Amino acid sequence: MKSVIFALAAGSAAAFAPVVVQKATTSLHAFESELGVQEPLGFYDPLGLLDDADQERFDRLRYVELKHGRISQLAFLGNIITRAGVKLPGNIDYEGTTFESIPNGWAAVGAIPSAGIAQIVLLVGFLELAVMKDVSGDAEFPGDFRNGFLDYGWDDFDEETKLFKRGVELNNGRAAMFGILGLMVHEQLGGTLPIVGPM
């Protein structure tokens, strides 16, 4: 009986003993100092998209992240603006369908005439294939589409300011991706949201 009690006491004491954990090394350390790695998450890649990735793969994913962030910022702002009642004047087609008659959110997709959808698809295709890319090869970073034409004073900024502004764009895009996703989910759930109003 004494040996059983001693074994139980020794076993329970071992539960509180420190355990040496081996540190795992991965190829992810190569990207832990990149722009966008910040507190509280640090380097966050839950899907393992950068496992064994090289710089070219990272740059491609960063480009896609920036692109989706920019689109999400436009989508979020467009959703808020139209829900506030601000619509374009005039008609969307020759049949007399007014912009004012187009509903908000997902309902707008079904209400836009097919010729309007075709115009949107053609415009987006043109922008994607001819405008929103590094045509000149002078890009300083993934997502730099100035092409030696648009500058807005970028070349006058010091390197610290450039990194700050790129970080702001990256974080605003990340927030907008969650924002538009939240608006789409709440639209399906119904109800009202502060500032946005009825969904």
Side-chain angles (χ1 to χ4, degrees):
M1 183 69 170
K2 288 182 183 178
S3 62
V4 171
I5 293 174
F6 178 74
L8 287 173
S12 64
F16 298 101
V19 177
V20 177
V21 178
Q22 296 288 337
K23 284 197 168 189
T25 59
T26 65
S27 63
L28 299 179
H29 292 294
F31 304 112
E32 287 183 347
S33 62
E34 290 287 341
L35 178 71
V37 176
Q38 56 201 21
E39 296 300 328
L41 296 177
F43 182 80
Y44 187 64
D45 183 27
L47 299 178
L49 297 175
L50 292 173
D51 290 349
D52 301 321
D54 57 1
Q55 188 65 41
E56 183 179 348
R57 170 93 172 134
F58 178 83
D59 289 344
R60 171 70 182 148
L61 291 174
R62 176 53 51 92
Y63 164 75
V64 170
E65 180 182 17
L66 280 167
K67 182 164 115 179
H68 285 99
R70 290 169 180 169
I71 292 167
S72 296
Q73 290 175 62
L74 291 171
F76 184 85
L77 186 61
N79 201 311
I80 298 297
I81 295 287
T82 56
R83 287 186 186 279
V86 179
K87 307 266 180 139
L88 292 172
N91 299 332
I92 195 169
D93 62 7
Y94 291 120
E95 283 77 37
T97 307
T98 63
F99 285 104
E100 191 68 37
S101 68
I102 304 293
N104 298 321
W106 280 113
V109 176
I112 297 175
S114 57
I117 295 287
Q119 290 174 26
I120 292 170
V121 169
L122 287 173
L123 174 65
V124 169
F126 170 73
L127 291 174
E128 183 74 21
L129 296 174
V131 178
M132 296 300 186
K133 62 182 188 176
D134 181 23
V135 178
S136 64
D138 297 331
E140 291 180 29
F141 51 88
D144 179 10
F145 301 142
R146 291 175 294 145
N147 294 314
F149 178 66
L150 298 173
D151 189 312
Y152 299 116
W154 180 259
D155 291 331
D156 297 333
F157 296 133
D158 59 22
E159 289 304 314
E160 184 179 342
T161 304
K162 287 180 180 181
L163 277 176
F164 173 77
K165 289 187 176 289
R166 287 178 55 208
V168 166
E169 180 189 20
L170 192 60
N171 288 327
N172 286 345
R174 290 171 176 172
M177 285 186 262
F178 279 109
I180 192 63
L181 178 64
L183 285 176
M184 291 187 307
V185 168
H186 280 289
E187 182 180 359
Q188 297 304 311
L189 295 175
T192 61
L193 289 175
I195 300 173
V196 178
M199 300 301 280

